[in-house]
Amino acid sequence: MPAVPTIMNGVENLPESKLGTKEHWDQVYEREVATYKDIGDEGEVWFGEDSVERMIRYLCDLFEEEPRSKPRYVLDIGTGNGHLLFALMEAQEEDLAPGTVDPSRLCGIDYSPASIQLCHSIAENRGNECKQISFLECDLRDMSSMDTLTKRANDGQGWDVVCDKGTIALSSQLVNGKLPVDLYVDAVCRLTRAREGLFFITSCNFTKTELEAKFVPAGFVVEHVVPTPSFTFGGHKGSSVTTMAFRRA
C-alpha cells in the first residue's frame, strides 16, 4: 500500500521518502565530490538556477533598502554544494556596493560531510573571497549544535539572515519524541536573531499556508512572498515551489 500523507497541526506531513534520509544525501554528495574531482562539475542546483536568482535578487534588494554600517551575518542551512552563498558573492561583485557582503560572515551548514567536502573544494578552486566562507557539518536535529552555531553570529545573538533552499523535513520518523519538521522550526528559531532577524525559504514540500501554520505561531511574521512560476491543472492554479521571507517578531 502506498504511503498516505497525514495531517498534524494543520500541516500535511509527506509520505516517507529517501530524500528524508541522511544516507541518501551522503551518497548524492559522495558522487558529486567524485564528479567534481574528475571533471570540475560543481553539481546540481536544486530547484534550478531561477530559484537561486529569485532568492539572490530579493537579498540584494533587501541589503540596498536596509543598508547597515556592518555586513549581515548570513547562514545557509542545507547548503549542499554552497551554490547560494557563492551566488551571493557573485552578486557582491556585480550588483552591490563594495563591502555590502562580508564572506567571513557567511556560513553554510549541512549534515552530510561529503557536502561540506564539496563546498570546501569549490571554494578553494574559486579562490579569492570565496575561501573565507565557512562551511560546517551540522545537523539541525541537534539542538546543542544549534546553540553553538547561534553563538557564531552577532556576539551570540544569532544570524541576521537564515536561508534555506529545500531542506525542510521529508520524514515522519520521530527524533527524541518530535517530528523532524518541528525540530526544524525549533532550530530556525534558535538560529535567527531575535530582533528583526529574517528567515528566507524556498520549499517544494509546503505551501505558503502550511509554512505560515508552522512559523507564525513560532514568533515570525510574513515579510514577503516572492512570486514564482505558476501552473494550472484541472481548473486549479498552483506553484511548484514557494519562496517567502519571515521576519522575527
Side-chain angles (χ1 to χ4, degrees):
M1 178 180 295
V4 177
T6 57
I7 303 294
M8 297 185 71
N9 298 326
V11 176
E12 182 180 281
N13 293 304
L14 300 177
E16 288 302 307
S17 166
K18 66 180 182 180
L19 298 178
T21 66
K22 184 176 182 296
E23 292 75 16
H24 169 75
W25 294 109
D26 284 341
Q27 293 171 6
V28 167
Y29 287 111
E30 284 165 6
R31 288 195 300 270
E32 293 201 350
V33 166
T35 301
Y36 184 71
K37 289 179 178 178
D38 288 342
I39 62 175
D41 186 341
E42 294 185 357
E44 184 172 354
V45 179
W46 299 101
F47 305 151
E49 294 278 357
D50 288 348
S51 290
V52 176
E53 289 176 7
R54 282 192 294 271
M55 294 184 77
I56 294 299
R57 189 161 54 247
Y58 176 79
L59 290 175
C60 288
D61 290 344
L62 174 73
F63 294 165
E64 289 179 342
E65 291 172 4
E66 300 178 6
R68 295 191 177 187
S69 59
K70 294 183 179 180
R72 291 167 174 78
Y73 286 90
V74 180
L75 179 69
D76 181 28
I77 57 181
T79 195
N81 61 359
H83 183 79
L84 182 66
L85 295 180
F86 294 135
L88 186 57
M89 288 307 304
E90 290 176 356
Q92 159 85 345
E93 297 174 0
E94 300 172 3
D95 302 320
L96 295 172
T100 302
V101 177
D102 181 349
S104 69
R105 294 189 175 206
L106 306 184
C107 180
I109 63 169
D110 205 291
Y111 70 174
S112 171
S115 158
I116 301 305
Q117 181 184 349
L118 178 62
C119 290
H120 283 147
S121 296
I122 294 172
E124 186 67 26
N125 188 56
R126 285 180 175 239
N128 299 324
E129 292 185 319
C130 286
K131 293 194 292 185
Q132 298 178 41
I133 303 173
S134 299
F135 291 104
L136 306 172
E137 182 184 344
C138 197
D139 193 331
L140 293 174
R141 298 169 298 186
D142 180 358
M143 290 302 113
S144 62
S145 294
M146 294 303 98
D147 290 338
T148 300
L149 187 59
T150 300
K151 294 175 183 177
R152 292 176 63 93
N154 283 308
D155 297 322
Q157 297 179 56
W159 299 79
D160 298 304
V161 181
V162 176
C163 297
D164 176 17
K165 188 168 63 65
T167 300
I168 194 167
L170 285 170
S171 175
S172 61
Q173 300 299 315
L174 297 180
V175 178
N176 297 325
K178 299 189 74 171
L179 286 168
V181 66
D182 293 326
L183 289 174
Y184 174 94
V185 174
D186 290 346
V188 169
C189 287
R190 279 175 161 84
L191 295 168
T192 308
R193 187 167 56 86
R195 288 175 179 257
E196 294 298 303
L198 191 80
F199 172 54
F200 189 31
I201 180 172
T202 289
S203 175
C204 66
N205 306 323
F206 295 103
T207 65
K208 171 182 177 291
T209 299
E210 290 171 330
L211 288 171
E212 288 175 342
K214 280 297 181 183
F215 287 99
V216 171
F220 290 85
V221 295
V222 177
E223 174 86 358
H224 186 71
V225 179
V226 179
T228 58
S230 61
F231 62 90
T232 301
F233 181 78
H236 297 280
K237 188 175 182 179
S239 299
S240 58
V241 297
T242 301
T243 298
M244 59 192 306
F246 291 88
R247 183 77 69 173
R248 190 78 183 272

